[in-house]
Amino acid sequence: MRLAALLLMSAIAVAQEAPSEAGADPGQASAGAVVGPQYGLETSSPRGVIASFQRLSAEFEAAMTAYKTAHDRQSADRIALVLDQWLSLIDLSQVPEATRREVGAETATYLLDIFNRVPLPALDTVPDATAFKPGSPAAYAVPDTPFRIVRIADGPRQGEFLFSQHTVNSAPQFYRTVENLPLHTPGPVRSWGSEIRQFTGPMVPVALADAVPEKLKRPVLGTPIWKIVASVLLTAISVLILLAWNRATTHPDWGGRVGERWRLLLSPLAVLLAGLGLRYFLSGQIIVAGTFAAVTYAGLTAVIYLALAWTFWVLLLAIFETAISRSALPEQNFDAHMLRLIARIIGIVGGIVIVAYGAQDIGLPVFSLLAGLGIGGLAIALAIRPTLENLIGGFILYLDRPIRVGDFCTFGDRSGTVESIGIRSTQVRAKDRTMITVPNAQFADMQIVNWAQCDRMLISQTIGLR
């Protein structure tokens, strides 16, 4: 059903190369391009939407028939190109980005099966753009159906007429009420929705799909059982490969701290590639559909974005650690600590942004979550106020530089040599060799005498005479 995912990458490439004008000459296509009629979509009126839908429906049926016979890459690209245009006739703005193409393709095939049983009205009876006042709400109810073609009020497609958002939910329900009606258009396929569920991508041999027992072709959660089994098996194999990869890349010595940081990058990269690979095979080759596809794609999208955030975090730490190493900064140097802290802050912010985009793609209310995180962040900030004060004190010491590691200083009633300046506290070695740990917030507020920064040393000595 969700054939929109067929060879998504190649479809995008073809769409970029294909001419957009109506009536483009197929003979002028470059080598390797998809040959077939290309239609300019007309969405300025309900009449244009219905005319475009009829043209694309005929092209889709021809492309599907050709693919069923040839089962090659070129036919699959042709289907994907037609679907790209077909989906542009439906308002999918409320569908999560992660499943938008698949849901749109499913809705379009439902509409095709419905209008093969409930004829569309004659074009001369459908209102054109002159029938509606500019800027006012406008809608056209398709006769004998629950579908409406409405003018979009806002967003990137403002002013265009499209099948309304309600179509996505009402199409499957309405199809079940008309599926037993006779077809008014002759054709070899009674239901394209049922036909597409059994289709596979060009990399899956036709003989293999045909050899599947009929019992395993029955749909569960909108997907044939054999495709669910294949998807679970492919996922299990990917997990095993990831575990083996992680074990193989765990080495006792990767060149010290810097090498270890770069080694840690291998795991998130592997998870990211595995998620992208699974998404491609499940949507472009096995072609799962229905509720199973929606849950699977949402899960894979979450894995991909989490792996991307993980990769960003580890990569940033590795880059900063390499910079520290090449600068020959001591391990406990305050500059090294501050660089690591900056890397972590950037990594956290970047990771949150990446995860927020992922949440938006799978349909989570990102802005509400961010508002909740803001309130929760305020509560956390109040709870860890001392830690935040020390962190800010560390920044002040870093920017103001009243002391450095190795300086002999006096603060309050104590004196000693600064041994390390950390994120939370500063450690000073006293004259009696004891270690004094002072929180950065307190240390930044003290009057500090740095004897190492004296340009001249005043020696005041009392000499007694007898």
Side-chain angles (χ1 to χ4, degrees), residues 1 3 60 64 109 192-199 227:
M1 182 71 70
L3 197 60
F60 174 77
M64 288 293 295
T109 52
W192 283 108
S194 300
E195 187 78 8
I196 290 173
R197 286 194 185 98
Q198 305 300 331
F199 270 42
K227 290 188 177 184

Side-chain angles (χ1 to χ4, degrees), residues 105-128:
E106 184 176 7
T107 303
T109 52
Y110 273 126
L111 291 177
L112 175 60
D113 284 339
I114 290 170
F115 292 137
N116 280 342
R117 293 163 173 79
V118 181
L120 285 167
L123 289 179
D124 56 359
T125 65
V126 181
D128 58 11

Side-chain angles (χ1 to χ4, degrees), residues 227-245:
K227 290 188 177 184
I228 296 178
V229 174
S231 301
V232 173
L233 183 61
L234 191 60
T235 303
I237 292 174
S238 300
V239 172
L240 291 176
I241 292 175
L242 286 175
L243 293 175
W245 172 259

